[in-house]
Amino acid sequence: MTLYNLAHVGFIVADLQIAIPRVEEALGIRFAEPAIARAPVLQEGERRRELALPIAWSREGPPYIELI
């Protein structure tokens, strides 16, 4: 039994393509193909631009590992 029931844990990484194989090897898990998460960036209530963040989720879990 764990202290907390976590759905997922996220980590910000400098380079997703380098981080994925390192985390896979360290934790013995696999990641899905990276995707792009898109979100509007708002400034004073007006949409200014779209933020595109590369993201990858572990296939195994919970807790699922998110690399962004």
Side-chain angles (χ1 to χ4, degrees):
M1 185 167 160
T2 61
L3 181 60
Y4 300 101
N5 292 324
L6 297 175
H8 86 276
V9 177
F11 296 95
I12 298 171
V13 298
D15 186 319
L16 199 59
Q17 297 304 321
I18 293 172
I20 290 172
R22 287 184 180 176
V23 175
E24 285 179 331
E25 184 177 344
L27 299 181
I29 61 174
R30 296 173 304 130
F31 280 84
E33 287 296 316
I36 301 294
R38 299 186 185 281
V41 175
L42 302 177
Q43 183 177 2
E44 297 179 16
E46 295 181 30
R47 185 177 175 161
R48 298 292 184 185
R49 62 185 173 94
E50 184 176 74
L51 183 63
L53 299 170
I55 186 171
W57 289 87
S58 66
R59 294 182 184 269
E60 293 85 13
Y64 293 93
I65 306 297
E66 171 190 355
L67 300 178
I68 191 165

Coordinates of all heavy atoms in Angstrom, one line a residue:
M1 N 0.8 -1.2 0.0 CA 0.0 0.0 0.0 C 0.9 1.2 0.0 O 1.9 1.3 0.6 CB -0.9 0.0 1.2 CG -1.9 1.1 1.3 SD -3.1 0.7 2.5 CE -3.7 2.4 2.8
T2 N 0.5 2.2 -0.7 CA 1.3 3.5 -0.8 C 0.6 4.5 0.0 O -0.6 4.5 0.4 CB 1.4 4.0 -2.3 OG1 0.1 4.2 -2.8 CG2 2.1 2.9 -3.1
L3 N 1.4 5.5 0.4 CA 0.9 6.6 1.1 C -0.1 7.5 0.4 O -1.1 7.9 0.9 CB 2.1 7.5 1.6 CG 1.8 8.7 2.5 CD1 1.1 8.3 3.8 CD2 3.0 9.5 2.8
Y4 N 0.2 7.6 -0.9 CA -0.7 8.4 -1.8 C -1.1 7.6 -3.0 O -0.3 6.8 -3.5 CB 0.0 9.7 -2.3 CG 0.5 10.6 -1.2 CD1 1.8 10.6 -0.8 CD2 -0.4 11.4 -0.6 CE1 2.2 11.4 0.2 CE2 0.0 12.3 0.4 CZ 1.3 12.3 0.8 OH 1.7 13.1 1.8
N5 N -2.3 7.8 -3.5 CA -2.7 7.2 -4.7 C -2.6 8.2 -5.9 O -3.4 9.0 -6.1 CB -4.2 6.8 -4.6 CG -4.4 5.6 -3.6 OD1 -3.5 4.8 -3.5 ND2 -5.5 5.6 -2.9
L6 N -1.4 8.1 -6.5 CA -1.1 9.1 -7.6 C -1.5 8.6 -8.9 O -1.3 7.4 -9.3 CB 0.4 9.3 -7.6 CG 1.1 9.9 -6.4 CD1 2.6 9.9 -6.5 CD2 0.6 11.3 -6.1
A7 N -2.1 9.5 -9.7 CA -2.5 9.1 -11.1 C -1.3 9.3 -12.0 O -1.0 8.4 -12.8 CB -3.6 10.0 -11.6
H8 N -0.6 10.4 -11.9 CA 0.6 10.6 -12.7 C 1.6 11.6 -12.0 O 1.2 12.4 -11.1 CB 0.3 11.0 -14.1 CG 0.1 12.5 -14.3 ND1 -1.1 13.1 -14.1 CD2 0.9 13.4 -14.8 CE1 -1.0 14.4 -14.4 NE2 0.2 14.6 -14.8
V9 N 2.8 11.5 -12.5 CA 3.9 12.4 -12.0 C 4.5 13.0 -13.2 O 4.8 12.3 -14.2 CB 4.9 11.7 -11.1 CG1 6.0 12.6 -10.7 CG2 4.2 11.0 -9.9
G10 N 4.7 14.3 -13.3 CA 5.3 15.0 -14.4 C 6.7 15.5 -14.1 O 7.0 15.9 -13.0
F11 N 7.5 15.4 -15.1 CA 8.9 15.9 -15.0 C 9.2 16.8 -16.2 O 8.9 16.4 -17.4 CB 9.9 14.8 -15.0 CG 9.8 13.9 -13.8 CD1 9.1 12.7 -13.9 CD2 10.4 14.2 -12.6 CE1 9.0 11.9 -12.8 CE2 10.3 13.4 -11.5 CZ 9.6 12.2 -11.6
I12 N 9.7 18.0 -16.0 CA 10.2 18.9 -17.1 C 11.6 18.5 -17.4 O 12.5 18.4 -16.5 CB 10.1 20.3 -16.6 CG1 8.7 20.7 -16.3 CG2 10.7 21.2 -17.7 CD1 8.5 22.1 -15.7
V13 N 11.9 18.2 -18.7 CA 13.2 17.7 -19.1 C 13.7 18.7 -20.2 O 12.9 19.3 -20.9 CB 13.1 16.3 -19.6 CG1 12.7 15.3 -18.5 CG2 12.2 16.1 -20.8
A14 N 15.0 18.8 -20.3 CA 15.6 19.7 -21.3 C 15.5 19.1 -22.7 O 15.3 19.9 -23.7 CB 17.1 19.9 -21.0
D15 N 15.5 17.8 -22.9 CA 15.4 17.2 -24.2 C 14.7 15.9 -24.1 O 15.1 14.9 -23.6 CB 16.9 17.0 -24.8 CG 16.9 16.5 -26.2 OD1 16.0 15.7 -26.6 OD2 17.7 17.0 -27.0
L16 N 13.5 15.9 -24.7 CA 12.6 14.8 -24.6 C 13.2 13.5 -25.3 O 13.1 12.4 -24.7 CB 11.3 15.1 -25.3 CG 10.0 14.3 -25.0 CD1 9.7 14.3 -23.5 CD2 8.8 14.7 -25.7
Q17 N 13.9 13.7 -26.4 CA 14.4 12.6 -27.1 C 15.6 11.9 -26.3 O 15.8 10.7 -26.5 CB 14.9 13.0 -28.5 CG 13.8 13.5 -29.4 CD 12.7 12.4 -29.6 OE1 12.9 11.2 -29.7 NE2 11.4 12.9 -29.6
I18 N 16.3 12.6 -25.5 CA 17.3 12.1 -24.6 C 16.7 11.5 -23.4 O 17.1 10.4 -22.9 CB 18.4 13.2 -24.3 CG1 19.1 13.5 -25.6 CG2 19.3 12.7 -23.2 CD1 20.1 14.7 -25.4
A19 N 15.7 12.2 -22.8 CA 15.1 11.8 -21.5 C 14.4 10.4 -21.7 O 14.4 9.6 -20.7 CB 14.2 12.9 -21.0
I20 N 13.6 10.2 -22.7 CA 12.8 9.0 -22.8 C 13.6 7.8 -22.7 O 13.3 7.0 -21.8 CB 12.0 9.0 -24.2 CG1 10.9 10.1 -24.1 CG2 11.4 7.7 -24.4 CD1 10.2 10.3 -25.4
P21 N 14.7 7.5 -23.4 CA 15.4 6.3 -23.2 C 16.1 6.2 -21.9 O 16.2 5.1 -21.3 CB 16.4 6.2 -24.4 CG 16.5 7.6 -24.9 CD 15.2 8.3 -24.6
R22 N 16.5 7.3 -21.3 CA 17.1 7.2 -20.0 C 16.1 6.8 -18.9 O 16.4 6.0 -18.0 CB 17.7 8.6 -19.7 CG 19.0 8.9 -20.4 CD 19.6 10.2 -20.0 NE 20.8 10.5 -20.8 CZ 21.5 11.6 -20.6 NH1 21.1 12.5 -19.8 NH2 22.6 11.7 -21.3
V23 N 14.9 7.4 -19.0 CA 13.9 7.1 -18.0 C 13.4 5.7 -18.2 O 13.2 4.9 -17.2 CB 12.8 8.1 -18.0 CG1 11.7 7.7 -17.0 CG2 13.3 9.5 -17.6
E24 N 13.2 5.3 -19.4 CA 12.8 3.9 -19.7 C 13.8 2.9 -19.1 O 13.4 1.9 -18.4 CB 12.7 3.7 -21.2 CG 11.5 4.3 -21.8 CD 11.5 4.1 -23.3 OE1 12.5 3.9 -24.0 OE2 10.3 4.0 -23.9
E25 N 15.1 3.1 -19.3 CA 16.1 2.2 -18.7 C 16.1 2.3 -17.2 O 16.2 1.2 -16.5 CB 17.5 2.6 -19.3 CG 18.5 1.6 -18.8 CD 19.9 1.9 -19.4 OE1 20.0 2.6 -20.4 OE2 20.9 1.3 -18.9
A26 N 16.1 3.5 -16.7 CA 16.2 3.6 -15.2 C 15.0 3.0 -14.5 O 15.2 2.4 -13.4 CB 16.3 5.1 -14.8
L27 N 13.8 3.1 -15.0 CA 12.6 2.7 -14.3 C 12.0 1.4 -14.9 O 11.1 0.9 -14.3 CB 11.5 3.8 -14.4 CG 11.9 5.1 -13.7 CD1 10.7 6.1 -13.8 CD2 12.3 4.9 -12.3
G28 N 12.6 0.9 -16.0 CA 12.1 -0.3 -16.6 C 10.7 -0.2 -17.1 O 9.9 -1.1 -17.0
I29 N 10.4 1.0 -17.7 CA 9.0 1.2 -18.3 C 9.2 1.7 -19.8 O 10.3 1.9 -20.2 CB 8.3 2.3 -17.5 CG1 9.1 3.7 -17.6 CG2 8.0 1.9 -16.1 CD1 8.3 4.8 -16.9
R30 N 8.1 1.7 -20.5 CA 8.1 2.2 -21.9 C 7.2 3.4 -22.0 O 6.3 3.6 -21.3 CB 7.6 1.1 -22.8 CG 8.4 -0.2 -22.8 CD 7.8 -1.3 -23.6 NE 6.4 -1.6 -23.0 CZ 5.3 -1.7 -23.7 NH1 5.3 -1.6 -25.0 NH2 4.2 -2.0 -23.2
F31 N 7.6 4.2 -23.0 CA 6.8 5.4 -23.3 C 6.1 5.3 -24.6 O 6.7 4.7 -25.6 CB 7.7 6.7 -23.3 CG 8.0 7.2 -21.9 CD1 9.1 6.6 -21.2 CD2 7.3 8.2 -21.4 CE1 9.3 7.1 -19.9 CE2 7.6 8.6 -20.1 CZ 8.6 8.1 -19.4
A32 N 5.0 6.0 -24.8 CA 4.3 6.1 -26.0 C 5.1 7.1 -26.9 O 5.9 7.9 -26.4 CB 2.9 6.6 -25.8
E33 N 4.8 7.1 -28.2 CA 5.4 8.1 -29.0 C 5.1 9.5 -28.6 O 4.0 9.8 -28.2 CB 4.9 7.9 -30.5 CG 5.5 6.7 -31.2 CD 7.0 6.7 -31.3 OE1 7.5 7.8 -31.7 OE2 7.6 5.7 -31.1
P34 N 6.1 10.4 -28.6 CA 5.8 11.8 -28.1 C 4.7 12.4 -29.0 O 4.5 12.1 -30.2 CB 7.1 12.5 -28.3 CG 8.2 11.4 -28.3 CD 7.5 10.2 -28.9
A35 N 4.0 13.3 -28.4 CA 2.9 14.1 -29.0 C 3.2 15.6 -28.8 O 4.1 15.9 -28.0 CB 1.6 13.7 -28.5
I36 N 2.4 16.4 -29.4 CA 2.5 17.8 -29.1 C 1.2 18.3 -28.4 O 0.1 18.0 -28.8 CB 2.6 18.7 -30.4 CG1 3.8 18.2 -31.2 CG2 2.6 20.2 -30.1 CD1 5.1 18.6 -30.5
A37 N 1.4 18.8 -27.2 CA 0.3 19.4 -26.4 C 0.2 20.9 -26.7 O 1.2 21.6 -26.7 CB 0.5 19.2 -24.9
R38 N -1.0 21.3 -27.1 CA -1.2 22.7 -27.5 C -2.1 23.4 -26.5 O -3.1 22.8 -26.1 CB -1.8 22.8 -28.9 CG -0.9 22.1 -30.0 CD -1.4 22.3 -31.4 NE -0.5 21.6 -32.3 CZ 0.6 22.0 -32.8 NH1 1.1 23.1 -32.4 NH2 1.3 21.2 -33.6
A39 N -1.7 24.6 -26.2 CA -2.5 25.4 -25.3 C -2.4 26.9 -25.7 O -1.3 27.3 -26.0 CB -2.0 25.2 -23.9
P40 N -3.5 27.6 -25.6 CA -3.4 29.1 -25.9 C -2.6 29.8 -24.8 O -2.8 29.4 -23.6 CB -4.8 29.5 -26.0 CG -5.6 28.5 -25.1 CD -4.8 27.2 -25.2
V41 N -1.9 30.8 -25.1 CA -1.2 31.6 -24.1 C -2.0 32.9 -24.1 O -2.2 33.5 -25.2 CB 0.3 31.9 -24.5 CG1 0.9 32.9 -23.5 CG2 1.1 30.6 -24.5
L42 N -2.6 33.2 -23.0 CA -3.4 34.4 -22.9 C -2.7 35.6 -22.2 O -1.8 35.4 -21.3 CB -4.6 34.1 -22.0 CG -5.5 32.9 -22.5 CD1 -6.6 32.7 -21.6 CD2 -6.0 33.2 -23.9
Q43 N -3.0 36.7 -22.7 CA -2.4 37.9 -22.1 C -3.5 39.0 -22.0 O -4.1 39.4 -23.0 CB -1.3 38.5 -23.0 CG -0.6 39.7 -22.4 CD 0.6 40.2 -23.2 OE1 0.8 39.6 -24.3 NE2 1.2 41.2 -22.8
E44 N -3.8 39.3 -20.7 CA -4.9 40.3 -20.4 C -6.2 39.9 -21.1 O -6.9 40.7 -21.7 CB -4.5 41.7 -20.8 CG -3.3 42.2 -20.0 CD -2.9 43.6 -20.5 OE1 -3.6 44.3 -21.1 OE2 -1.7 44.0 -20.1
G45 N -6.5 38.5 -21.0 CA -7.7 38.1 -21.5 C -7.8 37.9 -23.0 O -8.8 37.4 -23.6
E46 N -6.8 38.2 -23.8 CA -6.8 38.0 -25.2 C -5.8 36.9 -25.6 O -4.8 36.8 -25.1 CB -6.4 39.3 -25.9 CG -7.3 40.5 -25.7 CD -6.9 41.7 -26.4 OE1 -6.2 41.6 -27.4 OE2 -7.1 42.8 -25.9
R47 N -6.3 36.2 -26.6 CA -5.4 35.1 -27.1 C -4.3 35.7 -27.9 O -4.5 36.4 -28.9 CB -6.2 34.1 -28.0 CG -5.3 32.9 -28.4 CD -6.2 32.0 -29.2 NE -5.3 30.9 -29.7 CZ -5.7 29.8 -30.1 NH1 -6.9 29.5 -30.1 NH2 -4.8 28.9 -30.5
R48 N -3.1 35.4 -27.6 CA -1.9 36.0 -28.3 C -1.2 35.0 -29.2 O -0.8 35.4 -30.2 CB -0.9 36.6 -27.3 CG -1.4 37.7 -26.4 CD -1.7 38.9 -27.2 NE -2.1 40.0 -26.4 CZ -2.5 41.2 -26.8 NH1 -2.5 41.4 -28.1 NH2 -2.8 42.1 -25.9
R49 N -1.0 33.8 -28.7 CA -0.3 32.8 -29.5 C -0.7 31.4 -28.9 O -1.3 31.3 -27.9 CB 1.2 33.0 -29.5 CG 1.8 32.9 -28.1 CD 3.3 33.3 -28.2 NE 3.8 33.4 -26.9 CZ 4.4 32.4 -26.2 NH1 4.6 31.3 -26.8 NH2 4.9 32.6 -25.0
E50 N -0.2 30.4 -29.6 CA -0.4 29.0 -29.1 C 0.9 28.5 -28.6 O 2.0 28.6 -29.3 CB -1.0 28.2 -30.2 CG -1.3 26.8 -29.8 CD -1.9 26.0 -30.9 OE1 -1.2 25.6 -31.8 OE2 -3.2 25.8 -30.8
L51 N 0.9 27.8 -27.5 CA 2.1 27.1 -27.0 C 2.1 25.7 -27.4 O 1.0 25.0 -27.2 CB 2.1 27.3 -25.4 CG 3.2 26.7 -24.7 CD1 4.5 27.5 -25.0 CD2 3.0 26.8 -23.2
A52 N 3.1 25.2 -28.0 CA 3.2 23.8 -28.4 C 4.3 23.1 -27.6 O 5.5 23.5 -27.8 CB 3.5 23.7 -29.9
L53 N 3.9 22.2 -26.8 CA 4.9 21.5 -25.9 C 5.0 20.0 -26.3 O 4.0 19.3 -26.3 CB 4.4 21.6 -24.5 CG 4.3 23.0 -23.9 CD1 3.6 22.9 -22.5 CD2 5.7 23.6 -23.7
P54 N 6.2 19.5 -26.6 CA 6.4 18.1 -26.8 C 6.1 17.4 -25.4 O 6.6 17.8 -24.4 CB 7.8 17.9 -27.3 CG 8.5 19.2 -27.0 CD 7.4 20.3 -26.8
I55 N 5.4 16.3 -25.5 CA 5.1 15.5 -24.3 C 5.1 14.0 -24.6 O 4.8 13.6 -25.7 CB 3.7 16.0 -23.8 CG1 3.3 15.4 -22.4 CG2 2.6 15.8 -24.8 CD1 2.1 16.1 -21.8
A56 N 5.4 13.3 -23.5 CA 5.4 11.8 -23.7 C 4.9 11.2 -22.4 O 5.2 11.7 -21.3 CB 6.7 11.2 -24.0
W57 N 4.0 10.2 -22.5 CA 3.5 9.5 -21.3 C 4.0 8.0 -21.3 O 4.1 7.4 -22.3 CB 1.9 9.4 -21.4 CG 1.3 10.8 -21.2 CD1 1.0 11.7 -22.2 CD2 0.8 11.3 -20.0 NE1 0.4 12.8 -21.6 CE2 0.2 12.6 -20.3 CE3 0.8 10.8 -18.7 CZ2 -0.3 13.3 -19.3 CZ3 0.2 11.6 -17.7 CH2 -0.4 12.9 -18.0
S58 N 4.2 7.6 -20.1 CA 4.6 6.2 -19.9 C 3.4 5.3 -20.2 O 2.2 5.7 -20.1 CB 5.0 5.9 -18.5 OG 4.0 6.0 -17.6
R59 N 3.6 4.1 -20.8 CA 2.6 3.1 -21.1 C 2.1 2.4 -19.8 O 1.0 2.0 -19.7 CB 3.0 2.1 -22.1 CG 3.3 2.7 -23.4 CD 3.7 1.7 -24.4 NE 4.1 2.2 -25.7 CZ 3.3 2.4 -26.7 NH1 2.0 2.1 -26.6 NH2 3.7 2.9 -27.9
E60 N 3.0 2.3 -18.9 CA 2.7 1.6 -17.6 C 2.4 2.6 -16.5 O 2.9 3.7 -16.5 CB 3.9 0.7 -17.1 CG 4.3 -0.4 -18.0 CD 5.2 -0.1 -19.2 OE1 5.7 1.0 -19.2 OE2 5.3 -0.9 -20.1
G61 N 1.5 2.1 -15.7 CA 1.1 3.0 -14.5 C -0.1 2.4 -13.9 O -0.5 1.3 -14.3
P62 N -0.7 3.0 -12.9 CA -0.3 4.2 -12.3 C 0.8 4.0 -11.3 O 1.0 2.9 -10.8 CB -1.6 4.7 -11.6 CG -2.4 3.5 -11.4 CD -2.0 2.5 -12.5
P63 N 1.5 5.0 -10.9 CA 1.4 6.3 -11.5 C 2.1 6.4 -12.9 O 3.1 5.7 -13.1 CB 2.2 7.2 -10.5 CG 3.2 6.3 -9.9 CD 2.6 5.0 -9.9
Y64 N 1.4 7.1 -13.8 CA 2.0 7.3 -15.1 C 3.0 8.4 -15.1 O 2.9 9.3 -14.3 CB 0.9 7.7 -16.1 CG -0.1 6.5 -16.4 CD1 -1.2 6.4 -15.6 CD2 0.2 5.5 -17.3 CE1 -2.1 5.3 -15.8 CE2 -0.6 4.5 -17.5 CZ -1.8 4.4 -16.7 OH -2.6 3.3 -16.9
I65 N 4.1 8.3 -15.8 CA 5.1 9.3 -15.9 C 4.9 10.1 -17.1 O 4.8 9.6 -18.2 CB 6.5 8.6 -15.9 CG1 6.7 7.6 -14.7 CG2 7.6 9.7 -15.9 CD1 6.6 8.2 -13.4
E66 N 4.9 11.4 -16.9 CA 4.8 12.4 -18.0 C 6.1 13.1 -18.1 O 6.6 13.6 -17.1 CB 3.7 13.4 -17.6 CG 3.5 14.5 -18.5 CD 2.6 15.6 -18.0 OE1 1.9 15.4 -17.0 OE2 2.5 16.6 -18.7
L67 N 6.6 13.2 -19.3 CA 7.8 14.0 -19.6 C 7.4 15.1 -20.5 O 6.7 14.9 -21.5 CB 8.9 13.1 -20.3 CG 9.4 11.9 -19.5 CD1 10.4 11.1 -20.3 CD2 10.0 12.3 -18.2
I68 N 7.8 16.3 -20.1 CA 7.4 17.5 -20.9 C 8.6 18.4 -21.0 O 9.4 18.5 -20.1 CB 6.2 18.2 -20.3 CG1 5.6 19.2 -21.2 CG2 6.5 18.7 -18.9 CD1 4.2 19.7 -20.9

